[in-house]
């Protein structure tokens, strides 16, 4: 690896598994000090993987639906470093219902965890950015479902579309502090969240192939590579943009 994040401190939420874990590890391999934040399951293992890359890494146990989670996560970052330069808002939970069956309770819960948490975790990070002179980058993990429709996931899709709007707004508001804000929109990615359906549901497996020009589900490390690009100085003139990591799914009607 090339040290593209050397000297930087990166926070990744939902780092206990899947895309969050892969991103935390990739950032560590590129020289960043890492705060692996999220619910407890899997966090310590992620931290161990990061430390194997020879960097400082710490777990910050935090439920991002809780009011003070952003402050707790930032405090963990400032425990291992005097600055924080990268934040990946990766936590996301699925809704399960069609629009006509979605209750206020389900909508509120998914909205709180997926979208409101982005502001909740970003706010203290941005306050720090205002006081430090170094450039910083936020990467929000949305979904191809923030761009395209899919049955039975109304609240999820609404929050993922909301993340795209929020990202553009944050990019405009935060450019004055030299903070870039972009959004990654993954297609179907093989992670602990999807692996059971990819393995046991022929229909879901078929969908993941047929909806994707590249003809396969993505891997978590492929999303991590996109996060690395946007977090690094290679993307120094890119802000407010959507990067789809979806094997072409958002660029097609169906695969021929
Ligand atoms: P995952 O379920 O494997 O990992 C999610 C992580 O978030 C877990 O470690 C979990 O403990 C943590 N988490 C859940 N609720 C939390 C909370 N309230 N507070 C703190 N942490 C919490 O999921 P994944 O597949 O790696 O997905 C990661 C992100 O990518 C999500 O935002 C998801 O919507 C998005 N995404 C995933 C796919 C896919 O196919 N896997 C596709 C598009 C978008």
């Amino acid at each position: 690896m090339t040290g593209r994040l050397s000297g930087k401190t990166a926070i990744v939420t939902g780092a206990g598994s899947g895309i969050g874990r892969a991103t935390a590890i990739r950032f560590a391999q590129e020289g960043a000090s890492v705060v692996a934040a999220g619910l407890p399951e899997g966090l310590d293992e992620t931290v161990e993987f990061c430390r194997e890359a020879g960097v400082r890494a710490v777990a910050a146990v935090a439920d991002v639906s809780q009011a003070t989670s952003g402050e707790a996560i930032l405090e963990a970052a400032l425990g291992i470093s005097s600055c924080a330069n990268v934040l990946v808002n990766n936590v996301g939970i699925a809704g399960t219902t069609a629009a006509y069956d979605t209750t206020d309770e389900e909508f509120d819960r998914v909205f709180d965890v997926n979208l409101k948490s982005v502001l909740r975790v970003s706010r203290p990070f941005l306050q720090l950015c205002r006081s430090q002179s170094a450039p910083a980058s936020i990467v929000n993990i949305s979904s191809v479902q923030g761009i395209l429709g899919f049955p039975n996931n109304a609240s999820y899709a609404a929050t993922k579309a909301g993340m795209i709007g929020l990202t553009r707004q944050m990019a405009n508001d935060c450019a004055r502090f030299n903070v870039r804000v972009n959004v990654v929109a993954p297609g179907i990615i093989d992670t602990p969240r999807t692996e059971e359906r990819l393995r046991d549901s022929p229909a879901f497996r078929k969908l993941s192939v047929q909806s994707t020009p590249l003809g396969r589900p993505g891997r978590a490390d492929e999303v991590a590579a996109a996060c690395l690009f946007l977090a690094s100085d290679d993307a120094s003139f890119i802000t407010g943009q959507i990067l789809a990591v979806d094997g072409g799914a958002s660029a097609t009607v169906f695969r021929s």
Side-chain angles (χ1 to χ4, degrees), residues 13-21 37-43 62-66 89-94 109 113-114 141-145 156 160 163 184-194 197-198 204 220 223:
T13 71
S17 71
I19 291 167
R21 170 177 284 181
L39 298 181
E41 195 179 347
L43 273 193
D63 177 342
V64 298
S65 69
Q66 298 302 306
N89 286 305
N90 165 71
V91 169
I93 58 171
R109 167 89 187 129
V113 173
N114 290 8
I141 307 297
S142 174
S143 167
V144 77
Q145 282 186 67
Y156 180 79
K160 293 301 186 180
M163 282 179 95
V184 167
I188 296 175
I189 309 296
D190 190 351
T191 69
R193 172 203 296 245
T194 52
R197 273 186 302 160
L198 283 169
F204 188 69
V223 183

Side-chain angles (χ1 to χ4, degrees), residues 30 53 89 100 106 121-122 141 151 159 188 195 200 210 231 256:
E30 295 289 344
N89 286 305
Y100 47 80
E106 177 188 328
V121 176
S122 299
I141 307 297
T159 61
I188 296 175
E195 68 183 355
D200 299 339
Q210 287 190 335
S256 57

Side-chain angles (χ1 to χ4, degrees), residues 4-48:
R4 286 157 73 188
L5 296 181
S6 286
K8 297 191 192 288
T9 300
I11 297 165
V12 182
T13 71
S17 71
I19 291 167
R21 170 177 284 181
T23 301
I25 293 171
R26 184 69 201 274
F27 283 8
Q29 290 169 342
E30 295 289 344
S33 300
V34 172
V35 179
L39 298 181
E41 195 179 347
L43 273 193
D44 286 342
E45 281 167 272
T46 300
V47 166
E48 283 312 310

